[in-house]
Amino acid sequence: MQDNATEVTAAGIARMAGVGRAAVSNWRRRHADFPRPVGGTETSPSFALAEVESWLRSQGKLAEVPLRERVWQQLSGHPDGPVTALIHAGCVLLLIHDRPPVWLELSAGSDARLAEMLPGALREVFTPRFGPESAQNTPQTVNTPAPAPAFATDTPPAVNAVHSPPSPRPHPAVHTPTGPELLPSAPLLRGVAELAAELGARQTFEFLLGRHLDANPRQYTLTPADLAGLMADLAGPARTVLDPACGTGALLRAAATRPDQKLYAQDSAPELAALTTLRLALHTWSTVRGATGDTLRADAHPQLRADAVLCHPPFNERNWGHDELAYDPRWEYGFPARTESELAWVQHALARLKDGGAGVLLMPPAAASRRSGRRIRADLLRRGALRAVIALPVGAAPPYNIPLHLWVLRRPERAPAQPEVLLVDVGQFAGEGRGGPDWRAVREAVLDAWHTFGRPGRFTERAGLARALPVIELLDDDVDLAPARHLPPPTAADGAEQLTAVRELLGQTLRLTADLAPQRADAAHPARWPLTTIGELARGGALMLRTGGNGGHARVPVLTDHDVLSGTDPSGTLPESDEEAVLTEPGDVVVPVLGGGSVARVIDTTTGGAALGRNLVLLRPDPAALDPWFLAGFLRGTANNRQASSYASTATRLDVRRLQLPRLPLGEQRRYGERFRTLDEFERALRHAGRLGEQLVRGMYDGLTDGTVAPD
């Protein structure tokens, strides 16, 4: 039975029916029996999912709602909100994952019986997985001063631990929901179980979580999977791993490699802590101890001494607890200034490591050079706690316009006689598009330098890339740890040779561009062709229309809207899930729907096989009816795009179905298509020449100013 309380927006209706938002608005105006709004606002109404599905099916506009879409619509329209629904779904998926016969027995009865019996079954799963505190039906009171939770005491206490002033008590991230809390979710949970039978419990949760994160991009700061993997590799194998600002759990997922591990997570956002704890439990058989609370003010794991700490802390926080924590025992290397919240996280990580344990933190570049933190940086260096500072390329993680740093820590067992620190700068591996840097090159360069640094013997400098520096050389008035300030520049010969090669390639490209320049344009009378639309061609079977997905297999390269606009190779990623991604094929035409530009790209053999990204529409023409270059060329007409676009205050959206093209015989289409193809070659040559020109100019400026290129 459908849940009549589940609501769906006009955008969701459009996605269910495979049409644009404009079509849904037309249905509301033209059909008196279209379901009435049950919520939302006047400008953004919501409708009962069951009523919408029934109406679409009665109109022949929907044969059957796909299971994934139906479950997602139930979740996103849940009366208690999508986060609550997602947590309830995660709880049941963990039950299905660990004890599938129990779920089969519980789901055989009514919704009321399911909601009544489910809490007891969940307790049986939560207690061994998350600890006895998770068996409670409601979270503990956050502001009740009390000792640390029992689950944080399974490691030996620190010898120098002292009692700090009472602080707000953290509580377990996951608690057992009550029957009344679960009852509104019962229809959703049945759909989730059905989807799990098709995809698997873990893949189902990844799909739903990925859709939720994708639908709310501004609410969450994500750590890219490639960066998380690099941080886990820098930390090395670890049996106990802590992430004190776990977010969506990317770092702990990257570190979870074997079932005998213990994973500790904490986040100040209760929903993130709960979702991450459930995600980790579904991802691994490791012990998971998740907690909710402000880590710096109310540490959930004060007795923990972990093998590794991985952390992507919040940046530039002023209200991190400076006034309350002045005498906290974690500040072994100095009390952080109010503006140095990142150095508070660094010292928290060191305090939770066992002797010899490794920590890797993602840091803003300012933390390496701000004067207010120089004394703490100096002490970290002197005592051998800070082992490496690695400057990442622009685009490695949000905020994407800043080259962030990785700090590699080691809790010193004893003070080193002649401490050194490794400085690495892999900024040269930045990518051209929004897809991020060349992660393979970044990974190889960083890990090679780090592993070489850890071996006995003298570290060999890599010009412009890596250098091991004695700590004494950094202990000046600034204690500036920015790698670029201390790395030797590339050798003059290599720089000059590289610029010569770029110049020769630019010359070849410019000559090719001149050869490809369009011939003289002859005047002609305006044509009066009979026109058709993309929507009509799709209905007639002359082409197939698909839209970009919201998830897919993690290793499939993704063609983004930025790639299409800039003419670059696939550079993006999609949230990991088992959702079937739309894969491109040679001869497809891809059109961006946002931005207001007149752009269409024909997929060739080098870009075929990539997944279609968000905000893109794929048109797959029948070669017996449509020439792809003819199709792409006419879709790029400025007037054509204007008449098919809708305009809002902040964005322009293209309704691809309304784009027009003339009805011409296939032979005539190919004549136009050949001319459009040569124009595309000319455009790509111009772009390539522009990039080479920018590279040459920048290289000459750098070479002349650093002395590696002679002025004459």
Side-chain angles (χ1 to χ4, degrees):
M1 185 178 77
Q2 285 283 3
D3 177 13
N4 287 322
T6 301
E7 299 175 10
V8 61
T9 64
I13 298 173
R15 191 162 48 242
M16 291 165 63
V19 298
R21 289 278 300 273
V24 177
S25 298
N26 287 335
W27 294 342
R28 293 185 63 195
R29 288 193 299 267
R30 293 167 49 192
H31 297 277
D33 61 339
F34 190 87
R36 300 296 181 188
V38 296
T41 65
E42 185 176 346
T43 56
S44 181
S46 58
F47 307 82
L49 175 61
E51 295 179 8
V52 168
E53 184 178 344
S54 175
W55 187 87
L56 290 173
R57 190 176 290 111
S58 69
Q59 294 290 322
K61 303 181 186 299
L62 181 67
E64 183 61 46
V65 179
L67 178 59
R68 296 186 189 198
E69 191 61 39
R70 175 158 53 87
V71 172
W72 167 248
Q73 293 298 343
Q74 286 179 311
L75 187 146
S76 61
H78 192 280
D80 293 328
V83 173
T84 297
L86 192 54
I87 292 173
H88 289 176
C91 293
V92 165
L93 287 169
L94 185 59
L95 174 64
I96 294 171
H97 180 269
D98 286 10
R99 303 185 181 186
V102 175
W103 167 258
L104 292 176
E105 194 278 327
L106 292 178
S107 61
S110 64
D111 286 356
R113 178 180 179 274
L114 173 64
E116 180 184 358
M117 302 296 293
L118 195 52
L122 292 177
R123 289 190 195 98
E124 295 298 318
V125 174
F126 287 179
T127 299
R129 285 299 214 124
F130 305 137
E133 294 80 10
S134 62
Q136 298 178 21
N137 285 114
T138 56
Q140 300 172 24
T141 304
V142 178
N143 58 1
T144 302
F151 60 72
T153 62
D154 58 355
T155 52
V159 295
N160 61 345
V162 298
H163 293 290
S164 57
S167 59
R169 183 182 183 183
H171 57 77
V174 177
H175 70 279
T176 305
T178 64
E181 289 173 337
L182 288 168
L183 185 57
S185 299
L188 165 67
L189 300 180
R190 295 183 187 278
V192 165
E194 187 180 352
L195 188 57
E198 178 182 309
L199 302 179
R202 182 183 70 84
Q203 293 84 348
T204 298
F205 190 72
E206 288 297 318
F207 161 69
L208 295 173
L209 178 61
R211 286 286 291 266
H212 174 68
L213 297 176
D214 189 59
N216 302 275
R218 296 184 180 181
Q219 294 184 21
Y220 305 100
T221 300
L222 306 181
T223 306
D226 290 306
L227 175 58
L230 175 61
M231 293 173 67
D233 288 340
L234 285 168
R239 186 173 177 272
T240 56
V241 188
L242 166 68
D243 184 348
C246 63
T248 57
L251 295 176
L252 289 175
R253 287 185 69 213
T257 56
R258 59 181 199 252
D260 63 337
Q261 286 177 303
K262 292 185 178 181
L263 306 177
Y264 295 85
Q266 184 169 352
D267 201 277
S268 59
E271 70 278 4
L272 280 180
L275 292 174
T276 291
T277 302
L278 291 166
R279 189 183 197 188
L280 292 171
L282 286 164
H283 180 74
T284 176
W285 287 101
S286 303
T287 300
V288 181
R289 294 293 184 263
T292 296
D294 184 328
T295 297
L296 295 181
R297 289 187 174 91
D299 183 13
H301 312 290
Q303 308 302 324
L304 177 66
R305 295 299 175 263
D307 297 312
V309 174
L310 302 174
C311 187
H312 177 175
F315 297 160
N316 303 318
E317 280 201 338
R318 295 298 184 96
N319 185 27
W320 58 268
H322 177 272
D323 295 337
E324 305 101 299
L325 302 173
Y327 301 101
D328 195 287
R330 288 172 291 183
W331 315 142
E332 294 182 49
Y333 302 87
F335 181 40
R338 189 183 301 276
T339 56
E340 294 289 351
S341 62
E342 295 86 7
L343 294 182
W345 285 98
V346 165
Q347 295 192 76
H348 174 82
L350 286 166
R352 295 295 160 263
L353 286 170
K354 70 177 185 181
D355 289 347
V360 184
L361 277 75
L362 185 66
M363 302 282 280
S369 55
R370 281 190 298 241
R371 288 188 60 81
S372 54
R374 65 189 185 278
R375 292 183 179 177
I376 294 177
R377 293 196 298 269
D379 207 28
L380 290 168
L381 291 173
R382 287 192 196 96
R383 297 169 61 179
L386 180 57
R387 303 293 292 138
V389 177
I390 301 164
L392 297 170
V394 171
Y400 289 107
N401 61 330
I402 297 175
L404 301 174
H405 289 180
L406 291 178
W407 284 25
V408 184
L409 311 171
R410 186 83 65 187
R411 183 167 181 85
E413 299 177 77
R414 60 181 180 274
Q418 294 179 328
E420 288 188 329
V421 64
L422 176 67
L423 301 177
V424 181
D425 189 340
V426 287
Q428 60 186 288
F429 301 120
E432 293 183 358
R434 289 183 296 183
D438 181 349
W439 278 111
R440 178 177 296 180
V442 169
R443 180 185 179 84
E444 290 176 356
V446 169
L447 294 180
D448 179 62
W450 173 244
H451 292 151
T452 304
F453 177 69
R455 300 188 192 110
R458 185 174 178 81
F459 182 86
T460 303
E461 292 181 358
R462 293 99 189 269
L465 182 64
R467 181 184 185 187
L469 203 62
V471 163
I472 191 66
E473 296 187 23
L474 294 169
L475 297 179
D476 54 16
D477 288 341
D478 295 323
V479 196
D480 192 332
L481 306 183
R485 301 184 190 277
H486 305 285
L487 293 179
T491 61
D494 291 345
E497 289 176 4
Q498 184 179 15
L499 290 176
T500 300
V502 172
R503 188 179 185 282
E504 291 176 356
L505 185 56
L506 175 60
Q508 296 172 10
T509 306
L510 290 174
R511 288 190 290 273
L512 175 63
T513 303
D515 294 339
L516 292 173
Q519 301 174 357
R520 186 186 67 182
D522 296 327
H525 294 292
R528 303 266 181 202
W529 296 302
L531 299 176
T532 185
T533 66
I534 294 297
E536 291 172 351
L537 291 171
R539 287 191 291 272
L543 58 80
M544 182 177 67
L545 188 148
R546 301 288 300 277
T547 57
N550 293 286
H553 302 290
R555 300 193 178 185
V556 177
V558 176
L559 186 69
T560 69
D561 54 347
H562 184 271
D563 298 331
V564 175
L565 294 168
S566 60
T568 55
D569 291 338
S571 64
T573 58
L574 287 174
E576 182 182 354
S577 75
D578 278 1
E579 180 179 352
E580 197 66 33
V582 178
L583 301 182
T584 61
E585 297 178 2
D588 290 344
V589 177
V590 177
V591 183
V593 296
L594 294 179
S598 302
V599 179
R601 178 171 176 177
V602 178
I603 300 299
D604 55 21
T605 54
T606 61
T607 53
L612 191 69
R614 297 179 293 274
N615 301 321
L616 291 175
V617 170
L618 179 144
L619 306 175
R620 183 164 294 161
D622 179 352
L626 279 175
D627 178 80
W629 286 104
F630 163 81
L631 173 62
F634 273 94
L635 295 188
R636 291 193 60 172
T638 301
N640 198 4
N641 273 258
R642 285 177 179 170
Q643 64 84 26
S645 297
S646 58
Y647 302 92
S649 58
T650 58
T652 302
R653 187 173 187 89
L654 181 69
D655 185 350
V656 175
R657 292 175 178 270
R658 291 171 52 192
L659 288 169
Q660 299 175 337
L661 65 157
R663 296 181 181 272
L664 294 179
L666 191 58
E668 189 70 5
Q669 290 182 31
R670 288 172 178 158
R671 283 185 59 224
Y672 276 96
E674 181 60 24
R675 190 66 183 272
F676 288 138
R677 188 188 63 78
T678 58
L679 278 174
D680 181 77
E681 290 182 2
F682 175 63
E683 184 178 35
R684 281 187 286 150
L686 282 175
R687 284 175 173 159
H688 188 46
R691 286 194 287 265
L692 289 171
E694 291 176 1
Q695 184 179 349
L696 180 60
V697 169
R698 174 49 51 197
M700 288 297 296
Y701 271 112
D702 290 345
L704 288 168
T705 54
D706 63 22
T708 59
V709 173
D712 45 55

